[in-house]
Amino acid sequence: MMNLTAQTPAPTTPAVIGLTSIEAEERLAELGPNTLPEPEPPSPLRVFLIQFRNPIIYILLLASALSFATGRIEDGLFILVVLLINASIGTYQEYSADRAAAALRKLEQPSARVIRDGVACRIEAKRLVVGDLVLLESGDRIPADLMLVDASDLRCDESLLTGESMPVPKGRTVEGSSDETASSMLLAGSLATRGRAKGVVTATGTATMLGGIAAELGRANSSQPPLVARLAKFTNALAVFVGLAALVLVVAGFLRGLPLHDLVMMSVGLAVSAVPEGLPIAISVALAVSMRRMAARNVIVRSMPAVEALGSTTIIATDKTGTLTSNVQTVTEIRLPDGTDIALDAHADLDKCEIRASGLDSDLVRERARRLLRAALLANEGTLARRDDLWVAAGDTVDVALLAAGRKAGLGQEELNDRYPLAARIAYEPEHKYAASFHHGSDRIHVFVKGASEVLIEMSDRMDSAGNAVEIDRASLLAQKEEMAARGLRVLAFAEGEISASLAGSLGHGHLVDLVFLGLAGLQDPVRPEVPNAMKDCHAAGVEVVMVTGDDPRTAAAIARDAGLGFHAGQVVSGHDIDEAARAGDQRLDEITREARIYARVQPAQKSAIVASLIRNGHIVAVTGDGVNDGPALKKAHVGVAMGLRGTEVAKESADLVVTDDNFASIVAGISEGRAAYRNIRKVVLMSVATGAAEVLLFMLALPFGLPMPLLPVQLLWLNLVTNGIQDVALAGGRPEGDELAGPPRSPLEPVLDRTMIRRVVQSTVVIGGAAFLAFQWMIAHGYGVPEARNITLLIFVMFENVQTLACSSERRSIFSVDILRNRFLLLSVLAAQTIHISAMYVPWLSGTLGLSPITPLEWGLSMLIASSLVLVTEVDKFVSRRRRDRSSHA
């Protein structure tokens, strides 16, 4: 929980009259301005250099240096160009300053009204100091943490800081409150939605609760995206493999008495062969393509690795207010005193109302409901009017919700006010827990009251029953109120009465007696209509969902049920439970988070602790949110998802993804796209690693048999960067196969090369490398010159790459059942790679550099026949895998 302790105790006397200008300047010099720190963003050069911190890059730089040292300028230039292109793409995609603190500053009031030198004046909010007396009114953003010294009907919206969806009553004391200190504190960044107040500044800048959140956002993110973690392990293993293979070949060559120049060239060739130079670019393409597809589905990606991270998600920790719900208070139920239920469609047009009361006189029910709503509209200080075909509201959110309910029932506030002219009004006060209005009638004064059920039940001696006033049944009414509250509704009561017109000059609290109780209204922030289906999709995809909210546990549980989130009573925990578990140690907290599904009354620091615990429990965590209070958790998670419409700039700048339509279902669509991106990356890895390993195998087989180097380094570069590079990009941009959400998410511990991938890499390596070696050896043995043998061997590799590309278009489906035309770019890449290679044979300067020359039709046919052997091997493997999965699913 954030510390609300003041920077310096505010003196009592100055708090009443304000500070002098001299005192304020002294404190400003001592404590500093009322601003939040702005972190220095990394420079583009630094971001560019970070792109080179990768084992693959180190190997390639070494290969480039060896190429230059031995005079192979083409090899060195090729490698450097690839590295520069990759680094440029990474810099462009990932360079963005962390502007979370800057976004937080936007929530500060640019100016504030204070008492200085005994006079009310407006100053820049950044010049506020501890001890300043600040004047507030409805609509003001609180400029610093304040302690109230006076308040009139003050309510503050703290949802962006605490997650509490309802405006919070504020005052020096609140009758019946167990936490009078909290009720008299105003937090920087919150909004005064109603009333007026005076408050003494107790904390400014980074010492405020808002400043504490800013400091939390400034810390480094400890969670590494799954793709980055997997690729780091993969590249480290690849570096070890390349080093060992190079050592073996160099030692073997040295024992054979090969010249140092040949050994150096062999090492360069091995490095170029084993390292898939085009893999970083292909991965960038895969993520960039998915980013565009996600954008088309209303998900904006701010960090490229977050694409795959969302696809890896095993649990979503979602905010309630504004994410699962609409963040708009709505009257969803009216309960008449005799138990008649009236349901209002939460999402109906304001000019319509749906009343559902089967078996009852609908006209009578509607009239009784209109009578209750008449009281709600007249004892109301809000406004709701149409402006340019839009409904524009002002005032307390509950008042506006009641006005909307009246509009649905065909009642208009202006028409009622004309019919019942206002005589006097009693504004809502927390200590009274009701509001009332008095209106002139033909010969009587009409009284309309709304407020807490317990209070209005005591004010009334009768209640409405089937349109008649009968003796009140207080026990029954209180039971109805408790039943509605247990379902997470906020319950208000309504009553009316009449008094003599002769009392019009002395209307007040004393006249609120002998009323007729009209009924109850239940308000809630309704679940978005698309959320239940999105929950089902998450369940089908094996993704767990938990709710983290600042609301009351009963309200949270009711919303969770409406949203389709499965849970039982033991899986609802509070922020207090989280604090107690955290004090007992991480192990106790981790035990709670393994079972809990709803976290209620949660503070920002607790939300971050929950996310950290879920990560320790082995989850890939996505966190959704829209408020300032969500910022630290969004940053701590593997992937943070901010709501775009209602989300604050803080949430958006802290997140990796922004859902532009605030639709929870869009997150599920993003998971599908993320899984498709990872599938494409696996296809690229399989393609690149298999062909690279096949080249290494070719070298390792050639050396013991005393054969010359089968391919030159420049030919290997041609394979890996040009012909193979085109196909890698095509695989990376492949369309989703359509079944991405059909199974559970992969294990967070799953490596890039899992057992299936390793098996297929080995198969392809043996087939491609072994066939190429046999062909090269046969040609040398039958009188082919080394250049001619290399020329045909290079062609065989190009054809193997084409076959491998088509085989990799789906991990599970047969190459003959895949609709190649769905990914036309893939088919075009195969044709383009072959066309480029054929063209290179006839371009003089290029054929000379690469050692290429035209070949005979027979040699073409034999090369195609050799490459087609890979189809047989991959098809058999896929068939066996499908049969094994089918047997497993039936078992």
Side-chain angles (χ1 to χ4, degrees):
M1 185 174 294
M2 291 293 178
N3 185 5
L4 302 182
T5 304
Q7 292 163 311
T8 304
T12 303
T13 303
V16 178
I17 61 175
L19 300 176
T20 66
S21 298
I22 295 176
E23 289 174 323
E25 290 299 325
E26 290 175 350
R27 296 188 182 187
L28 184 64
E30 177 186 356
L31 300 175
N34 180 34
T35 58
L36 300 178
E38 182 177 5
E40 285 293 329
S43 67
L45 178 60
R46 181 182 176 187
V47 175
F48 180 78
L49 293 176
I50 289 174
Q51 307 304 312
F52 292 89
R53 294 194 314 193
N54 188 300
I56 284 183
I57 304 301
Y58 302 153
I59 296 171
L60 290 174
L61 286 173
L62 176 61
S64 178
L66 289 173
S67 298
F68 283 119
T70 56
R72 305 300 298 182
I73 306 301
E74 299 90 343
D75 294 14
L77 287 177
F78 262 119
I79 296 172
L80 287 181
V81 167
V82 169
L83 294 181
L84 290 174
I85 292 174
N86 180 62
S88 298
I89 292 175
T91 301
Y92 174 76
Q93 293 287 355
E94 297 181 12
Y95 174 65
S96 62
D98 185 358
R99 291 170 291 179
L104 279 166
R105 289 203 313 278
K106 293 180 182 178
L107 293 181
E108 292 184 306
Q109 189 77 3
S111 63
R113 289 182 64 226
V114 299
I115 303 294
R116 288 278 177 90
D117 299 318
V119 178
C121 60
R122 187 169 291 277
I123 65 170
E124 292 180 300
K126 67 181 182 181
R127 300 189 66 81
L128 282 175
V129 296
V130 172
D132 259 324
L133 182 61
V134 179
L135 309 179
L136 298 169
E137 60 185 24
S138 178
D140 284 347
R141 184 74 66 180
I142 310 303
D145 284 358
L146 309 176
M147 177 70 74
L148 286 173
V149 296
D150 186 30
S152 175
D153 192 23
L154 181 65
R155 294 190 182 188
C156 289
D157 180 359
E158 297 180 345
S159 62
L160 298 181
L161 289 163
T162 66
E164 172 63 58
S165 59
M166 295 298 301
V168 181
K170 295 288 182 177
R172 296 191 64 181
T173 60
V174 176
E175 186 178 348
S177 171
S178 62
D179 189 357
E180 297 181 356
T181 302
S183 68
S184 63
M185 285 296 303
L186 303 184
L187 304 177
S190 59
L191 179 68
T193 61
R194 177 170 170 172
R196 297 173 179 271
K198 297 178 182 179
V200 178
V201 175
T202 60
T204 60
T206 56
T208 63
M209 181 177 180
L210 190 66
I213 296 175
E216 188 75 19
L217 291 177
R219 297 174 186 171
N221 187 356
S222 58
S223 300
Q224 194 177 40
L227 178 62
V228 175
R230 291 189 183 98
L231 287 178
K233 292 181 180 178
F234 170 66
T235 52
N236 290 335
L238 186 60
V240 173
F241 170 76
V242 171
L244 292 176
L247 180 62
V248 170
L249 287 178
V250 169
V251 170
F254 180 78
L255 295 176
R256 282 186 53 194
L258 293 179
L260 179 61
H261 176 270
D262 290 347
L263 290 177
V264 171
M265 291 302 296
M266 184 76 77
S267 299
V268 172
L270 177 62
V272 173
S273 300
V275 178
E277 295 89 342
L279 182 58
I281 294 178
I283 291 174
S284 296
V285 169
L287 298 180
V289 169
S290 291
M291 286 171 66
R292 289 196 296 271
R293 289 177 182 157
M294 284 177 145
R297 303 181 75 170
N298 303 309
V299 180
I300 304 301
V301 179
R302 300 184 65 250
S303 172
M304 285 183 68
V307 173
E308 187 274 337
L310 187 60
S312 303
T313 296
T314 61
I315 191 167
I316 300 174
T318 178
D319 185 30
K320 176 186 74 68
T321 305
T323 305
L324 297 179
T325 67
S326 303
N327 198 23
V328 177
Q329 287 296 314
T330 305
V331 178
T332 58
E333 181 178 340
I334 292 175
R335 178 74 62 86
L336 299 179
D338 57 7
T340 301
D341 275 321
I342 303 169
L344 278 71
D345 188 345
H347 302 281
D349 186 278
L350 288 183
D351 293 319
K352 300 178 182 179
C353 179
E354 294 186 9
I355 294 182
R356 300 185 289 275
S358 61
L360 299 173
D361 186 337
S362 60
D363 290 336
L364 178 59
V365 168
R366 183 174 291 105
E367 182 57 36
R368 294 171 67 196
R370 287 166 60 90
R371 184 179 176 187
L372 179 149
L373 290 170
R374 179 181 66 180
L377 267 62
L378 289 171
N380 195 305
E381 296 182 70
T383 60
L384 180 66
R386 191 184 291 276
R387 298 285 187 273
D388 299 327
D389 296 327
L390 294 175
W391 288 100
V392 179
D396 182 83
T397 55
V398 172
D399 279 347
V400 172
L402 294 172
L403 292 173
R407 177 62 63 179
K408 292 176 183 178
L411 297 177
Q413 187 181 31
E414 294 180 0
E415 293 83 353
L416 287 176
N417 286 332
D418 291 340
R419 183 177 175 185
Y420 300 95
L422 181 67
R425 186 182 299 280
I426 298 176
Y428 179 88
E429 295 289 349
E431 59 267 29
H432 296 144
K433 299 183 180 179
Y434 63 81
S437 61
F438 302 87
H439 299 262
H440 294 289
S442 56
D443 57 352
R444 305 284 287 173
I445 297 293
H446 298 280
V447 183
F448 302 99
V449 189
K450 76 173 192 301
S453 306
E454 298 85 349
V455 176
L456 267 67
I457 288 173
E458 290 301 320
M459 289 180 178
S460 305
D461 63 353
R462 291 161 294 160
M463 67 180 189
D464 174 47
S465 178
N468 300 312
V470 300
E471 184 179 355
I472 193 168
D473 185 347
R474 291 187 170 87
S476 173
L477 296 177
L478 287 173
Q480 292 180 39
K481 180 260 181 183
E482 289 300 323
E483 184 272 329
M484 293 174 69
R487 291 188 282 113
L489 297 175
R490 179 178 184 182
V491 184
L492 289 179
F494 304 89
E496 67 177 13
E498 291 183 347
I499 59 177
S500 172
S502 62
L503 299 176
S506 59
L507 299 173
H509 296 280
H511 297 107
L512 302 181
V513 295
D514 301 331
L515 303 177
V516 177
F517 192 85
L518 300 177
L520 305 169
L523 294 88
Q524 66 174 335
D525 182 5
V527 170
R528 296 178 180 275
E530 68 277 355
V531 166
N533 284 335
M535 286 287 183
K536 292 179 182 178
D537 291 339
C538 285
H539 178 73
V543 178
E544 298 180 40
V545 180
V546 298
M547 178 196 292
V548 186
T549 178
D551 272 337
D552 177 87
R554 292 193 305 183
T555 301
I559 293 296
R561 281 192 293 268
D562 291 343
L565 177 61
F567 67 98
H568 56 74
Q571 293 176 311
V572 181
V573 301
S574 68
H576 176 71
D577 298 327
I578 297 299
D579 273 344
E580 286 190 343
R583 284 193 291 269
D586 289 347
Q587 183 176 356
R588 174 57 185 150
L589 180 58
D590 295 348
E591 290 175 359
I592 288 180
T593 59
R594 272 194 288 271
E595 298 296 329
R597 291 297 176 268
I598 298 176
Y599 302 87
R601 292 296 186 200
V602 171
Q603 297 294 323
Q606 296 165 344
K607 189 169 185 177
S608 294
I610 292 168
V611 173
S613 178
L614 291 172
I615 293 173
R616 289 195 300 270
N617 282 334
H619 282 292
I620 302 298
V621 183
V623 172
T624 73
D626 63 351
V628 175
N629 61 308
D630 297 314
L634 288 169
K635 195 168 185 180
K636 185 180 290 292
H638 291 104
V639 54
V641 184
M643 299 296 109
L645 292 179
R646 297 184 181 275
T648 63
E649 288 301 312
V650 176
K652 295 174 188 177
E653 294 298 331
S654 303
D656 303 293
L657 308 173
V658 178
V659 179
T660 59
D661 61 352
D662 286 14
N663 189 337
F664 188 79
S666 295
I667 301 172
V668 181
I671 291 175
S672 176
E673 291 292 348
R675 292 186 179 184
Y678 187 67
R679 280 189 179 182
N680 288 343
I681 290 171
R682 281 171 58 90
K683 295 171 185 177
V684 174
V685 171
L686 175 58
M687 171 75 176
S688 300
V689 174
T691 53
E695 293 163 11
V696 173
L697 179 61
L698 175 62
F699 272 69
M700 296 185 72
L701 291 174
L703 189 61
F705 284 88
L707 296 175
M709 195 158 46
L711 295 172
L712 297 173
V714 70
Q715 292 174 327
L716 293 169
L717 282 169
W718 175 259
L719 273 177
N720 295 341
L721 304 183
V722 181
T723 59
N724 195 4
I726 295 173
Q727 295 153 344
D728 284 348
V729 172
L731 284 172
R735 292 179 178 274
E737 296 181 39
D739 60 349
E740 283 74 18
L741 295 179
R746 59 193 169 275
S747 168
L749 302 177
E750 178 186 302
V752 175
L753 289 177
D754 59 8
R755 294 178 61 182
T756 300
M757 287 273 284
I758 291 174
R759 185 180 69 250
R760 291 181 177 172
V761 165
V762 171
Q763 292 170 353
S764 298
T765 299
V766 171
V767 173
I768 298 173
F773 166 73
L774 292 174
F776 184 74
Q777 184 188 42
W778 184 89
M779 285 184 286
I780 295 296
H782 287 76
Y784 278 76
V786 174
E788 290 78 10
R790 286 172 177 164
N791 178 40
I792 296 176
T793 302
L794 183 60
L795 174 64
I796 292 173
F797 259 97
V798 172
M799 290 187 171
F800 265 125
E801 288 176 347
N802 291 335
V803 173
Q804 181 81 328
T805 299
L806 297 175
C808 288
S809 59
S810 176
E811 287 191 43
R812 300 181 179 182
R813 299 175 184 174
S814 167
I815 189 175
F816 302 108
S817 66
V818 174
D819 184 4
I820 299 297
L821 295 179
R822 288 191 74 251
N823 190 359
R824 296 177 183 177
F825 185 44
L826 183 66
L827 183 59
L828 290 175
S829 72
V830 171
L831 297 176
Q834 194 66 56
T835 301
I836 290 173
H837 187 72
I838 294 172
S839 300
M841 294 178 177
Y842 296 94
V843 177
W845 64 268
L846 192 54
S847 62
T849 301
L850 296 175
L852 300 180
S853 60
I855 61 176
T856 66
L858 178 60
E859 292 167 337
W860 273 104
L862 291 174
S863 298
M864 293 178 64
L865 182 62
I866 293 172
S868 64
S869 63
L870 184 61
V871 175
L872 177 62
V873 174
T874 56
E875 286 300 302
V876 169
D877 182 80
K878 289 182 181 180
F879 176 77
V880 172
S881 297
R882 287 194 300 270
R883 291 291 298 273
R884 187 180 297 117
R885 282 194 300 271
D886 291 341
R887 286 196 300 269
S888 176
S889 63
H890 291 313

